[in-house]
Amino acid sequence: MAAILSQAQRDFLLQRVEQNPQQFQQMIIDDSLQTIRQTLKQGNLSAVFSEKLWELLLHNNEFSVVLQRYLWRIPLKQKRAFIQALDHHLGDRYPMFKGLSQGWPGKNNIPPYVRPAEERQKDFDLVSQGYLGYMGLGYSLREVELFVWLEVLRDKQCEDRPCEVGVPRCNEKGEPTFDYDGGCPVKIHIPQALNLMGEGKLKEAFELICDANPLPNVTGRVCPQEMQCQGVCTHNQRPIEIGQLEWFLAQRERQLSNQISQDIVVCNPWALATKPPIAIVGSGPSGLINAYLLAKAGFPVTVFEAFHALGGVLRYGIPEFRLPNQLIDDVVGKIKALGGRFVTNYIVGKTATLADLKRAGFARIFVGTGAGLPRFMNIPGEHLLNIMSANELLTRVNLMQAHKADYETPLPEVKGKEVMIIGGGNTAMDAARTACRLGAKVTIVYRRTREEMPARVEELHHALEEGIQLKELRSPCEFSGDKNHQLAAAKLEVMALGEPDASGRRRPQSTAESELVQVDLAIMALGNNPNPIVKDAEPDLQTSKWGTVQLNKGSQQTSLSGIYSGGDATRGGSTAIKAAGDGQAAAREIMQNLNFNAKEIQQLVTQAGRYTELGQTSPKIVKRRQLTDEIVEFTITAPLIARSAKAGQFVRVLADNKGELIPLTLADWNLENGTIDLVIQGLGSSSKLINQMQVEDCFAAIAGPLGQPSHIVKHPENQRVIFTAGGVGLPAVFPIMRAHLEAGNKVTLISGFRGLDFRFWTEQGDRIETLRNHYPDLVDVIYASNDGSFGLKGFVTTPLEELLIRDRDGSGDPIAEVITIGPPMMMRAVSDLTLAYDVACVASLNSIMVDATGMCGACMVPIMENGKLIRKHACIDGPEINSHVIDWDKFLPRFNQFKTQEHQSLVNHHLIDE
């Protein structure tokens, strides 16, 4: 054309282009689209045309977006021609295109990238890396965006939006009801998001999703999409990868910004103080989404979390090969950017009650505390060492990083060992795949068949790919151990499927056949019962017969005014996305039910702000006293614990971020100073390292007070309470003994030490003698030592038996009860002795614990009740337990469970010679 134009005409044309470039650009776009339109209608696209069309899409400019929008809107027949061209002409360049057109769009697609099984089974790196995983194979971000767009291109654009709202259930007459199957629990506008993606508007699609769900990075990873949005997708053979698309948008935004995407705080809601403060209990999925939506709406929010790290079940329950911790940190970062505050190591029901939070100024409270106690089978042999809950294994690995050499938390020896996972849900898959990565030979034992397993199909598929075995129609009925009380074998009952049960799955029934298999470690993944801590602290909080929090009809509000709840606390075991939906619904409800004037709001915000700051106080050592060569007394700042502490309770201590969680009984506390006292004997590496800490050093975390307080009653004046304290059992005895004296009870303390150089608190002016001087008519003190260098020679049982004899023959005060605290063997000896004299005895047990709130089940105490062995937990039912019902033969070996690992840790820290 330019060849037949004069120079003046060419100059004029160039001038017009410069004056209105958009007009000419649009002309070129229109002409190009007309050519593409005509070619697509003809079908059978040539290699040259297909390659050129793809190159135009790759340019990532205005025209490529227009072209995407056009292709998104063309009829299905033309889309098929386009996909067939990619298959035939670009398959060598893009292997994922080969065969794509066969059965497209309903039966075929480009799947997200999953790392090969032989590679991923050896590490904890992300398994399903989503569409962005293709970048690791050398593809550009723009190419990946187009892979995603090709997935979106499969969308039918259904008018009834089943992926968003679900499919209505029908009654027996075939009439629709108000209940729905599938759909999105957090009400993401999925069709609208897919439409935006189809038009190349990825950022707008991401923003649309975030309006409904601030956790797309998380829910896109762990939501059971096959039961929700994808479960009702009209492409029932190969549903659209909605979850992966959601995750891709969040990860793409992160990739582009190369940092955590955070909301900009125009004004800190705590400083603005125009809306009342809200407390969120628990930082799991329901709590995080609740906190985000409230903070975004301008509410001052404080999230109270029981652990030292945020995320709840998202962090301790889900391995990083499924959900990287960084994604949880991103969500926390968003909430902090909106002015949200966090208080860790705060156990509602122990550190404070819901009523305490209200008194602290929080106008409304959302409780998202999760499910709680792990279930066990209560079958013979379940007390053996190396039988644990999936919660415990996952907490040790996910939260405490026990699989890393420079972290202190011990793990069972699993490399090359036979590990059995009992259960068929997602937690079972997580435990199995975790054990696999630790080097174990893993078998999942399930009482039904593979078809009935509740685990996500994807997770089971990945587990089997990684070499994990599956034993169907089997259920353990007995465990047996070796001479060291270690698990050695499991007797598996052979099952058959009968009629469907309430879940719709066929009920497993015994065939009376069994088989014996070798097993070194058994992991119970049988679900959870609600943790009773909150319920027990709130007698007016209505709960179901299963222990879940009950909600008012059509509401997220509980039976307590201003208290809302959701997630597993109300549902029992459920999913992260349903928990997030509950948190979302509760946030909206909280916003609508507030009636405070400006002055009231200002007072509440000031009050809640002060309480939050108090909760964020670092546990700093303010006083240190060396009691003996290996025993140190610490005074530590912990104002909220000091407020709530009662005699007999303990705290959960983390010395540093790579340490292990250990239980330590409270020796004392000072409400006025806001401090607690701990006495620590340096035996293992953790306690030895703690005892090297000095004044001004801070612990990484101290949580509590935990456990049940001592049961203090006023005994008749002629009766006496006997305490036997061995070594560092004395600090644990001290506050309990003081509480009995304050109640007016007569007390005899028998305190035993190894020798003169190991005694403490016994000098005039120190704790024991001061207490004796304060209650001269109520206190008797007897000291004993193994070698006779201090007090009586012998163990505490010698003077105890003399008192028991005098009680029996009437020559001394009647003994109301004996309370024993100290080395396990001492407590067992005291228990046996008091049993022989038919005198009540209580043992205070700080056995092996991890979380110390009942969630892990590690502190199991075998109890004989009505001739049957049952399971109690020292952190929930204790620490004080009737010593006469404890099966000591089964309990004592638990103290040596990690003896080998503890020895190696001492060597690694150069605390002992190898």
Side-chain angles (χ1 to χ4, degrees):
M1 178 180 175
I4 62 175
L5 294 177
S6 66
Q7 184 61 44
Q9 288 173 321
R10 288 198 296 270
D11 291 343
F12 176 74
L13 185 61
L14 289 172
Q15 184 180 0
R16 292 292 301 272
V17 170
E18 290 175 358
Q19 289 174 348
N20 195 352
Q22 290 183 342
Q23 179 183 355
F24 282 86
Q25 184 179 6
Q26 189 60 48
M27 288 173 57
I28 294 170
I29 290 174
D30 291 343
D31 288 343
S32 300
L33 284 179
Q34 182 63 29
T35 302
I36 293 168
R37 185 180 298 115
Q38 292 173 351
T39 307
L40 283 170
K41 284 182 178 179
Q42 295 171 5
N44 295 323
L45 310 183
S46 69
V48 173
F49 178 86
S50 302
E51 291 171 1
K52 184 60 179 176
L53 185 60
W54 184 255
E55 289 302 322
L56 290 172
L57 288 167
L58 282 175
H59 284 163
N60 198 19
N61 54 20
E62 184 176 344
F63 179 67
S64 67
V65 174
V66 172
L67 185 55
Q68 281 183 266
R69 190 178 307 142
Y70 168 71
L71 292 170
W72 164 249
R73 294 172 178 173
I74 62 176
L76 179 60
K77 182 178 180 180
Q78 294 180 29
K79 289 180 181 178
R80 282 200 175 104
F82 171 58
I83 297 299
Q84 191 172 44
L86 297 182
D87 183 347
H88 292 170
H89 304 309
L90 279 82
D92 291 336
R93 179 176 172 183
Y94 298 101
M96 68 285 294
F97 290 178
K98 283 190 175 181
L100 179 61
S101 61
Q102 298 175 16
W104 191 92
K107 300 179 182 179
N108 209 346
N109 75 334
I110 299 174
Y113 179 70
V114 178
R115 294 170 60 216
E118 62 275 9
E119 172 189 312
R120 69 184 191 242
Q121 68 183 20
K122 299 174 184 177
D123 61 45
F124 283 81
D125 293 340
L126 195 59
V127 170
S128 178
Q129 298 190 333
Y131 287 102
L132 279 173
Y134 285 110
M135 291 184 69
L137 302 182
Y139 297 103
S140 69
L141 176 59
R142 179 56 184 169
E143 287 175 305
V144 172
E145 289 177 347
L146 290 178
F147 298 163
V148 169
W149 175 71
L150 289 174
E151 177 64 16
V152 174
L153 210 60
R154 300 172 56 226
D155 181 38
K156 289 183 177 181
Q157 303 173 49
C158 310
E159 291 185 3
D160 53 352
R161 302 174 294 140
C163 55
E164 178 182 338
V165 301
V167 175
R169 295 177 187 171
C170 294
N171 58 25
E172 295 177 354
K173 299 179 180 179
E175 301 167 334
T177 67
F178 292 103
D179 293 325
Y180 287 79
D181 288 322
C184 179
V186 293
K187 308 306 179 189
I188 294 173
H189 300 309
I190 296 171
Q192 190 176 341
L194 292 176
N195 184 65
L196 289 169
M197 296 179 75
E199 293 186 342
K201 299 176 181 178
L202 299 181
K203 185 173 181 63
E204 291 87 341
F206 174 68
E207 290 170 350
L208 176 71
I209 289 175
C210 287
D211 281 344
N213 176 23
L215 285 70
N217 246 339
V218 173
T219 55
R221 292 294 313 170
V222 301
C223 173
Q225 289 92 6
E226 68 275 10
M227 303 294 291
Q228 304 290 343
C229 53
Q230 294 175 202
V232 292
C233 179
T234 50
H235 286 314
N236 50 25
Q237 288 186 288
R238 187 66 65 92
I240 292 175
E241 299 276 2
I242 297 171
Q244 288 287 352
L245 296 178
E246 177 186 2
W247 191 59
F248 164 78
L249 290 173
Q251 287 299 91
R252 173 185 177 271
E253 193 68 20
R254 203 168 186 277
Q255 179 92 8
L256 291 174
S257 63
N258 199 29
Q259 59 184 0
I260 297 174
S261 176
Q262 293 183 344
D263 300 74
I264 298 173
V265 182
V266 177
C267 187
N268 189 322
W270 291 92
L272 194 61
T274 58
K275 295 183 179 180
I278 312 296
I280 291 94
V281 180
S283 66
S286 65
L288 289 178
I289 197 169
N290 186 269
Y292 175 86
L293 293 173
L294 288 167
K296 190 177 181 182
F299 287 85
V301 300
T302 300
V303 180
F304 295 91
E305 166 58 40
F307 275 125
H308 58 282
L310 300 167
V313 68
L314 298 174
R315 190 177 297 269
Y316 73 74
I318 302 178
E320 286 210 78
F321 56 76
R322 276 218 296 137
L323 180 67
N325 286 336
Q326 183 60 60
L327 304 186
I328 305 168
D329 296 337
D330 287 357
V331 178
V332 171
K334 285 182 178 183
I335 297 170
K336 287 182 177 179
L338 290 168
R341 299 178 178 178
F342 292 86
V343 173
T344 53
N345 306 295
Y346 187 106
I347 297 100
V348 172
K350 293 295 183 180
T351 309
T353 64
L354 297 176
D356 290 331
L357 284 175
K358 277 193 169 183
R359 284 191 291 269
F362 292 99
R364 298 289 184 267
I365 302 170
F366 175 77
V367 178
T369 49
L373 299 170
R375 295 185 190 130
F376 289 84
M377 300 185 73
N378 291 321
I379 59 177
E382 204 174 27
H383 65 279
L384 290 166
L385 303 185
N386 287 337
I387 297 177
M388 61 172 56
S389 71
N391 283 5
E392 180 181 355
L393 175 72
L394 295 173
T395 299
R396 287 181 182 274
V397 175
N398 299 340
L399 180 70
M400 303 310 299
Q401 303 291 298
H403 59 296
K404 296 179 180 178
D406 55 341
Y407 283 73
E408 293 300 312
T409 298
L411 270 177
E413 295 179 8
V414 297
K415 191 171 183 179
K417 303 290 187 179
E418 295 289 344
V419 174
M420 177 184 293
I421 312 294
I422 298 100
N426 291 325
T427 301
M429 298 305 113
D430 287 339
R433 298 174 70 196
T434 296
C436 174
R437 281 155 176 76
L438 296 173
K441 302 173 186 175
V442 183
T443 301
I444 297 170
V445 172
Y446 186 54
R447 59 182 184 159
R448 291 184 171 97
T449 67
R450 177 174 175 175
E451 286 68 30
E452 286 83 25
M453 293 182 82
R456 295 187 64 188
V457 173
E458 178 186 55
E459 300 305 320
L460 176 59
H461 174 68
H462 287 166
L464 298 177
E465 276 189 331
E466 291 163 6
I468 293 168
Q469 302 299 307
L470 174 62
K471 266 188 176 291
E472 301 174 298
L473 295 171
R474 297 292 186 275
S475 180
C477 57
E478 183 177 355
F479 294 109
S480 54
D482 60 19
K483 62 180 181 180
N484 297 316
H485 304 276
Q486 299 275 352
L487 175 65
K491 183 180 180 182
L492 302 181
E493 196 171 17
V494 179
M495 314 297 286
L497 294 182
E499 295 299 316
D501 61 12
S503 70
R505 296 175 298 169
R506 294 173 64 192
R507 190 188 308 274
Q509 298 174 337
S510 174
T511 64
E513 298 179 7
S514 65
E515 63 175 314
L516 191 67
V517 297
Q518 177 194 345
V519 57
D520 302 302
L521 175 67
I523 307 294
M524 299 293 184
L526 305 168
N528 297 288
N529 294 319
N531 193 304
I533 288 179
V534 173
K535 174 177 67 71
D536 290 350
E538 307 290 342
D540 294 330
L541 181 67
Q542 291 183 8
T543 56
S544 70
K545 63 181 180 180
W546 299 282
T548 54
V549 176
Q550 287 190 321
L551 302 176
N552 297 338
K553 188 175 182 180
S555 171
Q556 296 296 137
Q557 188 166 197
T558 70
S559 58
L560 301 178
S561 177
I563 309 294
Y564 299 77
S565 189
D568 287 357
T570 60
R571 294 176 177 270
S574 187
T575 62
I577 192 65
K578 287 187 177 180
D582 290 346
Q584 181 191 67
R588 291 171 178 164
E589 196 173 345
I590 288 170
M591 293 180 205
Q592 295 170 357
N593 295 308
L594 295 167
N595 185 23
F596 298 92
N597 61 43
K599 184 178 179 180
E600 289 172 330
I601 290 173
Q602 182 67 58
Q603 291 174 340
L604 290 172
V605 170
T606 300
Q607 195 176 349
R610 288 173 181 165
Y611 189 82
T612 298
E613 290 174 2
L614 203 63
Q616 293 173 331
T617 304
S618 296
K620 182 171 67 175
I621 299 171
V622 295
K623 185 178 178 182
R624 181 185 187 278
R625 183 160 63 129
Q626 191 81 37
L627 299 180
T628 71
D629 287 345
E630 60 182 28
I631 301 175
V632 179
E633 177 185 338
F634 292 102
T635 300
I636 304 159
T637 303
L640 294 186
I641 298 176
R643 283 187 179 190
S644 303
K646 294 182 177 63
Q649 291 184 297
F650 63 93
V651 290
R652 187 188 68 211
V653 174
L654 180 67
D656 61 67
N657 288 325
K658 293 188 175 183
E660 65 174 316
L661 296 170
I662 57 175
L664 293 170
T665 302
L666 284 164
D668 207 350
W669 52 92
N670 187 303
L671 178 59
E672 183 178 347
N673 295 337
T675 59
I676 61 172
D677 292 341
L678 301 176
V679 175
I680 303 171
Q681 182 175 17
L683 295 175
S685 59
S686 293
S687 55
K688 285 180 179 289
L689 292 171
I690 289 175
N691 281 357
Q692 293 177 6
M693 297 174 71
Q694 302 297 320
V695 172
E696 297 297 317
D697 287 343
C698 289
F699 287 85
I702 297 181
L706 294 163
Q708 301 294 335
S710 296
H711 184 59
I712 310 294
V713 297
K714 176 65 175 74
H715 295 295
E717 291 186 2
N718 66 324
Q719 292 188 3
R720 185 172 290 273
V721 179
I722 310 296
F723 288 89
T724 63
V728 288
L730 180 59
V733 157
F734 175 76
I736 308 172
M737 184 170 69
R738 181 176 60 195
H740 274 277
L741 291 170
E742 290 171 349
N745 290 329
K746 290 182 179 180
V747 165
T748 295
L749 168 66
I750 307 173
S751 184
F753 303 98
R754 279 185 283 169
L756 182 65
D757 294 337
F758 299 95
R759 67 187 177 96
F760 60 91
W761 285 10
T762 60
E763 299 285 347
Q764 281 297 325
D766 217 323
R767 292 180 189 262
I768 299 303
E769 292 306 311
T770 298
L771 199 62
R772 178 151 62 171
N773 293 335
H774 192 72
Y775 296 97
D777 298 328
L778 296 179
V779 179
D780 284 341
V781 178
I782 302 171
Y783 293 122
S785 58
N786 297 1
D787 58 6
S789 59
F790 179 67
L792 300 174
K793 183 177 182 179
F795 302 116
V796 296
T797 48
T798 300
L800 173 62
E801 185 163 22
E802 293 179 6
L803 293 173
L804 290 169
I805 292 171
R806 291 170 59 188
D807 170 31
R808 185 179 61 184
D809 62 21
S811 61
D813 291 336
I815 298 175
E817 62 178 328
V818 174
I819 299 170
T820 181
I821 309 178
M825 290 301 295
M826 182 213 79
M827 291 190 290
R828 199 262 170 82
V830 170
S831 179
D832 290 346
L833 185 59
T834 52
L835 181 62
Y837 285 87
D838 196 24
V839 171
C841 181
V842 167
S844 183
L845 309 171
N846 268 359
S847 58
I848 302 299
M849 298 185 190
V850 181
D851 78 295
T853 66
M855 187 273 295
C856 71
C859 59
M860 188 272 284
V861 182
I863 299 292
M864 291 303 298
E865 195 171 272
N866 299 322
K868 184 179 179 181
L869 188 69
I870 65 170
R871 172 183 292 266
K872 294 281 188 180
H873 294 97
C875 64
I876 292 293
D877 305 300
E880 292 183 1
I881 293 178
N882 176 3
S883 73
H884 295 161
V885 299
I886 298 172
D887 190 325
W888 290 94
D889 288 334
K890 295 179 174 63
F891 179 60
L892 289 177
R894 299 190 68 79
F895 290 91
N896 294 320
Q897 183 170 0
F898 295 107
K899 187 175 182 179
T900 302
Q901 294 88 331
E902 289 168 357
H903 175 82
Q904 188 58 49
S905 181
L906 288 167
V907 172
N908 294 343
H909 286 286
H910 308 290
L911 297 170
I912 61 171
D913 295 329
E914 190 161 5

